[in-house]
Amino acid sequence: MGDRLTSGTEGTGGTGAVHGAGRAPGDPPPRPVARTGAFMTAMVVDAVGSGVWITFSLLYFTYGQGMALTTAGSALSTGALAALLAGGLAVGVITDRMGPFPAATLSCALRAAGFPCYLLADTPVTVAATAFAISFGDRLYWAAHAGLVDSVTATQQAQRGLFALMNSLRNVGLGVGALAVALGASFQDAGGAALWHAVPVANAVSFAVAGVMFRWVGRPLRQAPVPGKDAGEGEGASYRAVLANRRFLAFTGATLSITLSSVAFDSVLPVYLRSLGMPLWMPPVAYVLSCVAIPAFQPLALWLGRRHRPMRLMALAAVLVAVALASLVPLGRFDRAGGTVCVALAVVVFSLGEAVFGAVAMTIVLSFATRQDAGRYSALYQLAWGLSGALGPGVHTLLLSASGSAPWTVMACALLVGAAVYLRLARTTPYASVPQPCAGDPAGRKGEP
């Protein structure tokens, strides 16, 4: 990827400018191959490092710091919720004012400084304070994420490839985190707390390296002057215009059904399986299967992305996840062998839906935005994930206490409503024809069509 990635184009029909080849004269010139490699390395480090910590954090405080599980969980949730309330929208403003690369650099710096503090955090207050700093850095990165990808891609097809690759790497990170937990538990007696402490230290170093790379790649390059109109748009960027975009709000609201379902799959599925008397090994195996299946389905998701409109693919993703969750409702009627097969099929269908969703969702967000307000659009969209992570476990456990099938039934219905919204948006969205790639177009990187 020695230049901005190209491999065809497709309009998603948002209200903002469609990003891709033939953009405004102010586009940056091609980046050197070395900078492209540094950019990809930084993105990989962030995706894997964040994924590892998601699966590792609770057990780190339980086994590495000797805290009670409920205490550690409450402290981490408090810090993350505070960061969501304080920075959920503020990170969009910061990103639009600083630019995506400086914002990503700052996000890495916050996390590089925060992770070593976990070694000294042994009270709920210190854990919550450190979690706040790291969560704020994480939210800042995701506000900049769309702008980072947009700055190195020339078409929406290339964007899909890069977003799908990052989604796959994040799931690989989740799998690595699960492996780290298993190794930590296995060698705890031999390695003591040092083995548990190694993960936050390694994360701190990796985020420091990623920050340096983002800083280097994002250094100002000589480019053509941007027309005065663009400068005016930058000065006038505000959340008022974002909140007035009803189509984007409808898209984000529908996406909340997918993000809540993803949280349900991660948080209450193990409890549900245990309540049905399923084997103890089934929840971790199901989780690992999902982490493997999502990257495996990436080529299929990209193939679908070349042939179907993005909003219709979002509807497909919602329906697939709905089918997967609905198939868990009659699970109690099967014996262990039948239940194992049913869970495996549900995980595979769920993973395909997640792969399709991960390949197209952020390209749609970018199609609504311009370069001047991409951070605000990304930040508002990411609130769907933030709210799901903060409120989802409580909502799902409340439903589960009412009935074992309630979480899956409710979420399946919500997903079907979301799919209907996507289809409605697809019918009312202007659609650009898809030109064939030119013979001279450069080939995409691994993970891209």
Side-chain angles (χ1 to χ4, degrees), residues 271-301:
V271 180
Y272 178 60
L273 295 179
R274 287 293 302 275
S275 69
L276 296 178
M278 295 294 177
L280 293 176
W281 51 262
M282 187 174 290
V285 169
Y287 191 68
V288 171
L289 175 61
S290 177
C291 292
V292 172
I294 291 175
F297 281 131
Q298 175 188 310
L300 176 58

Side-chain angles (χ1 to χ4, degrees), residues 131-143:
F132 173 86
I134 292 177
S135 297
F136 190 92
D138 193 57
R139 302 214 65 78
L140 181 58
Y141 170 79
W142 283 107

